[in-house]
Amino acid sequence: MSSTSSVSMKEQMVPENEVEQVRLLNGIEDSYEGIIIEIKEYMDSHIFIPILRASISQWKQQGKKGVWIKLPIEVSNLINPVVQEGFRYHHAEPDYLMLVNWLPNTPDTLPANASHRVGIGAFVVNNNREVLVVHENSGRFKGTGVWKLPTGVVNEGEDICEAAIREVKEETGIEAEFVEILAFRQSHCSFFGKSDLFFVCMLRPHSFDIHKQDSEVEAAQWMSIEDYANQPYNKEHQLFQYVAEVCKTKSEGDYVGFSTVPIATASNKKMYLYFNNQDFSKFQNF
Amino acid sequence: MSSTSSVSMKEQMVPENEVEQVRLLNGIEDSYEGIIIEIKEYMDSHIFIPILRASISQWKQQGKKGVWIKLPIEVSNLINPVVQEGFRYHHAEPDYLMLVNWLPNTPDTLPANASHRVGIGAFVVNNNREVLVVHENSGRFKGTGVWKLPTGVVNEGEDICEAAIREVKEETGIEAEFVEILAFRQSHCSFFGKSDLFFVCMLRPHSFDIHKQDSEVEAAQWMSIEDYANQPYNKEHQLFQYVAEVCKTKSEGDYVGFSTVPIATASNKKMYLYFNNQDFSKFQNF
């Protein structure tokens, strides 16, 4: 459904003994008996709405279900008129709003909006059992003196394992390789009512000289894992205590998290499965 | 930032030797030097926009950064005028659109929109090493004859472990208890450009009589795990082959996934950490 395309008006010629011309929207059919309309150029609502009404009338006859209208921010003039026609919002990105209308008289089976933001914390540990930690100069840790793991938000379209490598590089200049997901936590109502997934990733460093690059990081250093775990903040907050304990256990070699395996897909989309491959032998023939 | 509140106009009285009255928006300050405005009642744009301009002028003087305007769908008439004032979209839910404007002349540090949808597949296995499987009557598996694990979307605000229990109950009537996350896969561009996380959850059934309830499920049954894994579809698709192999290995007792531990938070928010607690003894004192 992500492949919408340009929509222009098509003039539908009617038999020549009739004078009326019917203009209809030229939508893309989706795989769920729906129609996707993308408006790409400015249009006056007094022109657009009659054409939308005629189109919906035809789609109803055809048994269409969900009608999607993607309005770039340049045509925000059409939002209010389209809402008056019974459409509701589905989701928005900085440059467009997607509206939707369920035509049948049945409960809608429209897909939900994205519900989660995804973040990573990077546990980068060297051969001396020292962990890479940072002081942040914004957010809840600002001015607390707590040395914490580098953290960041996973971008749309970015793999968790890549986000961890990128954040470590951005915050500290350290090159590192992804090893495993050690743990993750899910929380709710973290932002605009959205839920949040946070993955603790173990990385193996390939460089050791810290070059602080990110303006949001005040300082960075290598710190013994015991000193990291024993910070009062980590002792007083259960989540941090668990994470520190998992990291310590891993650094002692006694813990197995989820590592990645790339999955081949028909469409050549990049995809990873994360699982415990401790006994990988049985998976080697796939 | 999720706690926005009603905004009404306040009349700011100016010294009595001036005749002009300045009306300003009464916003809520957020923790990032920002302002959140929520419009709750219909307002004409010719009244709203001058007040918005005066307010922004004041916020700029005060050094405010991000200005958020939450517009319920009932006041969609204000969207186009607000966009003309330089606001862009941030996100939308069915009943509102959130717009934002970054006031300083610096790159914005506004938080990203939710980027991921989260789904579950439930591996419910009984003591006879039979797995609970369903035929779906919509989507890509419709009419394929493939017996698949019950799957579903994790709702906003819902824990992954709870979503798995709910979906199994909805699709098959089986009561089950969450055991572990066995694996997960991340994919991209799955829907409107969003990414997708899919968690394979193991559940232990507490009931065994299937009562199909969900209209999207055509049939449900218990099936030997070998028969499940050996279905041609599972053999031909690498992701399904891996998942089936992980499930088989787990049912033989040779696999450790991530189980949950509830985390205590100061705000009493519900939160789970998922990790490999095979050697749980060291975590018992937290």
Side-chain angles (χ1 to χ4, degrees):
Chain A
M1 245 197 228
S2 56
S3 63
T4 56
S5 80
S6 170
V7 171
S8 57
M9 300 297 137
K10 64 175 177 190
E11 304 227 353
Q12 199 180 56
M13 297 306 292
V14 291
E16 54 183 22
N17 59 336
E18 298 186 29
V19 290
E20 192 185 18
Q21 284 187 341
V22 185
R23 297 180 73 195
L24 295 173
L25 291 164
N26 191 9
I28 308 294
E29 299 195 359
D30 69 22
S31 325
Y32 301 85
E33 300 169 87
I35 291 280
I36 309 172
I37 303 293
E38 183 171 353
I39 305 301
K40 293 208 160 173
E41 289 172 2
Y42 179 83
M43 201 179 306
D44 190 279
S45 65
H46 296 102
I47 294 171
F48 180 70
I49 294 301
I51 302 170
L52 177 62
R53 285 181 187 161
S55 304
I56 285 179
S57 170
Q58 193 188 58
W59 294 328
K60 278 186 176 169
Q61 286 173 25
Q62 292 169 350
K64 296 298 178 200
K65 294 180 172 172
V67 176
W68 303 84
I69 300 185
K70 182 175 179 176
L71 293 181
I73 195 164
E74 292 78 14
V75 290
S76 60
N77 63 301
L78 293 181
I79 297 172
N80 189 40
V82 166
V83 167
Q84 302 306 321
E85 297 300 309
F87 282 71
R88 67 158 172 93
Y89 307 149
H90 186 270
H91 67 276
E93 294 297 330
D95 57 348
Y96 77 87
L97 174 66
M98 183 73 87
L99 297 105
V100 70
N101 192 0
W102 182 253
L103 300 184
N105 292 321
T106 55
D108 84 61
T109 58
L110 296 166
N113 197 352
S115 54
H116 284 65
R117 295 206 307 159
V118 179
I120 60 90
F123 174 59
V124 187
V125 64
N126 65 23
N127 289 336
N128 300 325
R129 293 188 66 242
E130 291 171 323
V131 53
L132 183 63
V133 290
V134 299
H135 269 165
E136 288 183 352
N137 58 20
S138 67
R140 63 190 277 203
F141 289 101
K142 179 180 177 176
T144 60
V146 177
W147 289 101
K148 57 182 285 298
L149 304 183
T151 55
V153 174
V154 176
N155 295 325
E156 208 165 86
E158 186 177 39
D159 284 301
I160 293 164
C161 50
E162 288 176 359
I165 294 169
R166 176 184 53 74
E167 286 287 350
V168 167
K169 175 74 178 168
E170 283 177 9
E171 296 198 357
T172 68
I174 297 292
E175 309 269 358
E177 157 196 14
F178 175 84
V179 180
E180 271 184 1
I181 304 278
L182 299 184
F184 67 89
R185 77 102 183 79
Q186 187 187 19
S187 66
H188 305 296
C189 291
S190 70
F191 217 92
F192 299 125
K194 294 291 175 179
S195 298
D196 192 278
L197 280 162
F198 179 83
F199 292 85
V200 180
C201 303
M202 180 179 173
L203 283 79
R204 188 177 295 127
H206 288 183
S207 70
F208 303 92
D209 290 340
I210 291 168
H211 300 285
K212 189 181 76 64
Q213 300 178 343
D214 192 314
S215 62
E216 291 177 25
V217 168
E218 200 163 79
Q221 67 169 7
W222 294 100
M223 184 180 205
S224 90
I225 182 143
E226 280 74 19
D227 288 349
Y228 165 73
N230 287 333
Q231 292 179 96
Y233 188 93
N234 287 350
K235 290 282 182 193
E236 289 157 15
H237 293 81
Q238 201 182 22
L239 178 65
F240 287 79
Q241 198 177 9
Y242 267 107
V243 168
E245 198 57 43
V246 165
C247 290
K248 249 174 71 178
T249 309
K250 180 70 194 181
S251 73
E252 291 157 0
D254 294 335
Y255 186 90
V256 185
F258 284 177
S259 45
T260 53
V261 62
I263 297 289
T265 65
S267 57
N268 278 329
K269 281 205 315 193
K270 188 178 59 174
M271 191 188 287
Y272 285 109
L273 184 71
Y274 295 75
F275 74 114
N276 179 343
N277 74 354
Q278 191 169 24
D279 186 8
F280 194 73
S281 59
K282 68 184 65 169
F283 296 109
Q284 283 179 348
N285 299 325
F286 290 5
Chain B
M1 246 199 226
S2 55
S3 63
T4 56
S5 80
S6 170
V7 171
S8 57
M9 300 297 137
K10 62 177 175 189
E11 305 227 352
Q12 199 179 54
M13 296 307 290
V14 291
E16 55 185 20
N17 60 337
E18 297 186 30
V19 291
E20 193 186 16
Q21 284 189 343
V22 185
R23 298 181 72 196
L24 294 173
L25 291 164
N26 190 9
I28 308 294
E29 300 195 357
D30 68 24
S31 324
Y32 302 85
E33 299 168 88
I35 292 279
I36 310 172
I37 303 293
E38 182 170 353
I39 305 302
K40 293 207 160 174
E41 288 172 2
Y42 178 83
M43 200 179 307
D44 190 279
S45 64
H46 297 101
I47 294 171
F48 180 70
I49 295 301
I51 301 169
L52 176 62
R53 285 181 187 161
S55 304
I56 284 179
S57 171
Q58 195 190 58
W59 293 328
K60 277 186 177 168
Q61 285 173 25
Q62 293 169 351
K64 295 299 178 201
K65 294 181 172 173
V67 176
W68 302 85
I69 300 184
K70 182 175 179 177
L71 293 180
I73 196 163
E74 293 77 15
V75 290
S76 60
N77 63 301
L78 294 181
I79 297 173
N80 188 41
V82 166
V83 167
Q84 303 305 321
E85 297 300 308
F87 282 71
R88 67 159 172 91
Y89 307 150
H90 186 271
H91 68 275
E93 294 297 330
D95 57 349
Y96 78 87
L97 174 66
M98 183 72 88
L99 297 104
V100 70
N101 192 0
W102 182 254
L103 300 184
N105 291 321
T106 55
D108 84 61
T109 57
L110 296 166
N113 196 353
S115 55
H116 284 66
R117 295 205 307 159
V118 179
I120 60 90
F123 173 59
V124 188
V125 62
N126 66 22
N127 290 336
N128 300 325
R129 295 188 65 243
E130 291 171 324
V131 53
L132 183 63
V133 289
V134 299
H135 268 165
E136 287 184 352
N137 59 20
S138 67
R140 63 190 275 205
F141 289 100
K142 179 180 177 176
T144 60
V146 177
W147 288 102
K148 57 182 285 297
L149 304 182
T151 56
V153 174
V154 176
N155 295 326
E156 208 164 85
E158 185 176 40
D159 284 302
I160 294 165
C161 50
E162 288 176 358
I165 293 170
R166 175 183 54 73
E167 286 287 350
V168 166
K169 176 72 178 169
E170 283 177 12
E171 295 198 358
T172 67
I174 296 292
E175 308 269 357
E177 156 195 14
F178 175 83
V179 180
E180 271 184 3
I181 304 278
L182 299 184
F184 66 89
R185 77 103 182 79
Q186 187 187 19
S187 65
H188 304 297
C189 291
S190 70
F191 217 92
F192 299 124
K194 294 291 177 181
S195 298
D196 191 278
L197 280 162
F198 179 83
F199 291 86
V200 181
C201 302
M202 180 179 173
L203 284 79
R204 187 176 296 126
H206 288 184
S207 70
F208 303 92
D209 290 340
I210 291 168
H211 300 285
K212 190 181 76 64
Q213 301 178 343
D214 192 314
S215 63
E216 291 176 26
V217 167
E218 199 164 79
Q221 67 168 6
W222 294 99
M223 184 180 206
S224 91
I225 182 142
E226 281 74 19
D227 287 349
Y228 165 73
N230 288 332
Q231 292 179 97
Y233 188 94
N234 287 350
K235 290 284 182 193
E236 289 157 14
H237 293 80
Q238 201 182 21
L239 178 66
F240 287 80
Q241 196 177 10
Y242 267 105
V243 168
E245 197 58 42
V246 165
C247 291
K248 250 175 72 180
T249 309
K250 179 71 193 179
S251 74
E252 290 157 1
D254 293 335
Y255 186 91
V256 185
F258 284 178
S259 45
T260 54
V261 61
I263 298 289
T265 66
S267 57
N268 277 329
K269 281 205 316 194
K270 188 178 59 175
M271 191 188 286
Y272 285 109
L273 184 71
Y274 295 75
F275 73 115
N276 178 343
N277 74 354
Q278 190 169 25
D279 186 9
F280 194 73
S281 59
K282 67 184 66 170
F283 296 108
Q284 283 178 349
N285 299 324
F286 290 5

